[in-house]
Amino acid sequence: METRSIIIGTGSAIPKKIIHNKDLEELVDTSDEWIRTRTGIVTRHVVEEGETNSRLAGEAAKNALEMAGLSPVDINLIIVATLTPDMPMPSVACLVQDAIGAKQAGAFDLAATCSGFLYGLAMADGYLRIHPDHHVLVIGSEVLSRRVNWKDRGTCILFGDGAGAAILTGAENGRGIVTSHLHADGSLWDLLAIRGLGTREEVTPAQLEAGLQFIEMNGREVFKHAVRALESVTMEALETAGWKGEDIDLFVPHQANMRIIEHLRQRLGLSEEKVFINIHKYGNTSAASIPIALDEANRSGILKPGAKVLMVAFGGGFTWGSVAMKW
Ligand code: COA
């Protein structure tokens, strides 16, 4: 039997502070009704003083380790997908490595925006083909609330903070990652970007005044590209895996907009129970969205061993991708 990468533990961490749609009515010209119907979002969680990306990531990692029944020194590689690291250097992965005491692990961050966790799973899968007895910790973790312009109603309603983690190892039991597909189109970068705080230009007070440290998005255009790319990557995954839409036991899409998810559900002909949704609680948590969803699905008991799971994501860059696995 072929050796494949299986997930043996999942975990997540969500900050306690909740921002309701009603709270946003105080900040920008919007309404609870508009946000619910256009996005499906009802609440999002955000960090408070002292809570950081690496702390959330570390907590998610500890929960995953506990489920896997592993000690931190059993981890050989830590990959953190994020676009909102604590700082440019060191990586969040190194901070997590220290915080959890994963003394045997290599560690690096991966920048692929909302598709980052799926990129991370694909990298872990490649690594485990060389070292099938190793354990790889893949985390998606974001503190987007610090990169959101709370005066921009086109973006501030959408995003939230949180972290999710999964631990992978090699196994020969017919389960595990069946296929992954990664895509990008950098020509469309400026439809969804944080223009400031990089090294392209000197960071100046004028830049900060202009809000270049915040997420800027052309929502309508991003929406169109997201629908098209997600549909195509979903079909591509099914074809490579040799699955039909109805074979999927659980579809776990990136939680960016309920209307996009609903479109995909109908396109696949899936019943509502087969699509995991938690966007109403957390909003769009970028790289953390799929691992949080996966952990919630796992802990709720709906993921039985061997269940066919298809994960798809799309984000800034643009990046998009899929991972199909037998749970
Ligand atoms: N409250 C009230 N009205 C709002 C609003 C808000 N928070 N945000 C935008 N509007 C207004 C717009 O100004 C526009 O008004 P106009 O017609 O007078 O110009 C109108 O609502 C429609 O705007 P539009 O941008 O076309 O709305 P939409 O239906 O596309 O929804 C998003 C906006 C952001 C929810 C949606 O485009 C979206 O989800 N985009 C994709 C996000 C995504 O998938 N990201 C993935 C990568 S992370």
Side-chain angles (χ1 to χ4, degrees):
M1 203 176 272
E2 200 184 336
T3 304
R4 287 194 176 139
S5 308
I6 59 165
I7 292 180
I8 54 169
T10 58
S12 54
I14 310 289
K16 281 198 192 64
K17 185 176 176 190
I18 297 177
I19 297 188
H20 298 264
N21 290 346
K22 283 268 171 218
D23 302 327
L24 295 170
E25 291 178 1
E26 312 286 313
L27 298 178
V28 288
D29 181 14
T30 190
S31 68
D32 175 42
E33 206 263 331
W34 192 95
I35 301 171
R36 280 176 199 252
T37 51
R38 304 310 288 166
T39 71
I41 300 166
V42 180
T43 56
R44 69 286 292 140
H45 292 241
V46 298
V47 294
E48 293 176 279
E49 201 58 40
E51 280 180 309
T52 59
N53 183 320
S54 61
R55 284 208 182 162
L56 291 172
E59 196 184 321
K62 282 183 192 161
N63 292 336
L65 280 167
E66 194 180 330
M67 186 189 287
L70 292 178
S71 146
V73 292
D74 297 326
I75 298 295
N76 305 93
L77 180 64
I78 302 173
I79 303 173
V80 178
T82 187
L83 68 99
T84 50
D86 292 21
M87 40 195 157
M89 182 172 74
S91 63
V92 174
C94 281
L95 298 175
V96 170
Q97 187 259 352
D98 175 50
I100 67 174
K103 294 188 186 311
Q104 312 291 337
F108 70 96
D109 283 3
L110 183 161
T113 64
C114 304
S115 316
F117 180 74
L118 297 189
Y119 270 65
L121 289 185
M123 295 306 104
D125 187 32
Y127 174 90
L128 287 168
R129 282 172 202 264
I130 305 168
H131 305 287
D133 55 330
H134 280 198
H135 297 103
V136 184
L137 170 61
V138 183
I139 303 173
S141 184
E142 302 285 9
V143 175
L144 294 160
S145 61
R146 293 219 205 273
R147 286 291 168 268
V148 158
N149 182 350
W150 293 99
K151 293 180 184 150
D152 173 15
R153 69 176 182 172
T155 52
C156 77
I157 59 155
L158 297 172
F159 298 103
D161 303 337
I167 296 172
L168 293 94
T169 192
E172 280 182 52
N173 55 12
R175 295 163 52 198
I177 294 180
V178 177
T179 153
S180 63
H181 294 278
L182 308 177
H183 299 280
D185 184 353
S187 72
L188 298 169
W189 72 270
D190 61 347
L191 293 176
L192 176 51
I194 301 173
R195 289 159 205 272
L197 298 191
T199 56
R200 194 166 67 137
E201 291 171 63
E202 208 64 63
V203 179
T204 61
Q207 270 199 344
L208 299 178
E209 195 58 40
L212 294 193
Q213 69 275 37
F214 297 130
I215 297 171
E216 288 176 66
M217 178 170 75
N218 180 333
R220 211 174 293 186
E221 282 304 308
V222 172
F223 190 97
K224 277 192 245 165
H225 286 285
V227 169
R228 224 175 290 145
L230 286 169
E231 198 174 309
S232 116
V233 85
T234 299
M235 295 310 155
E236 179 185 42
L238 289 179
E239 195 179 323
T240 314
W243 299 352
K244 293 196 176 55
E246 65 262 29
D247 294 335
I248 299 171
D249 293 305
L250 193 67
F251 186 57
V252 186
H254 169 48
Q255 311 281 310
N257 187 307
M258 192 56 210
R259 288 181 292 142
I260 298 177
I261 297 173
E262 182 56 20
H263 170 86
L264 292 171
R265 185 185 74 76
Q266 289 182 12
R267 182 77 178 78
L268 287 167
L270 291 176
S271 59
E272 284 180 6
E273 319 82 72
K274 287 193 167 185
V275 180
F276 196 85
I277 289 162
N278 61 10
I279 189 171
H280 51 290
K281 294 193 285 184
Y282 308 128
N284 181 347
T285 57
S286 190
S289 129
I290 290 183
I292 293 171
L294 211 52
D295 183 48
E296 290 195 341
N298 196 17
R299 283 173 196 268
S300 73
I302 57 176
L303 281 172
K304 305 279 181 264
K308 289 182 175 138
V309 179
L310 179 58
M311 298 168 259
V312 296
F314 178 89
F318 288 142
T319 62
W320 62 103
S322 68
V323 171
M325 70 185 302
K326 288 192 193 153
W327 191 254

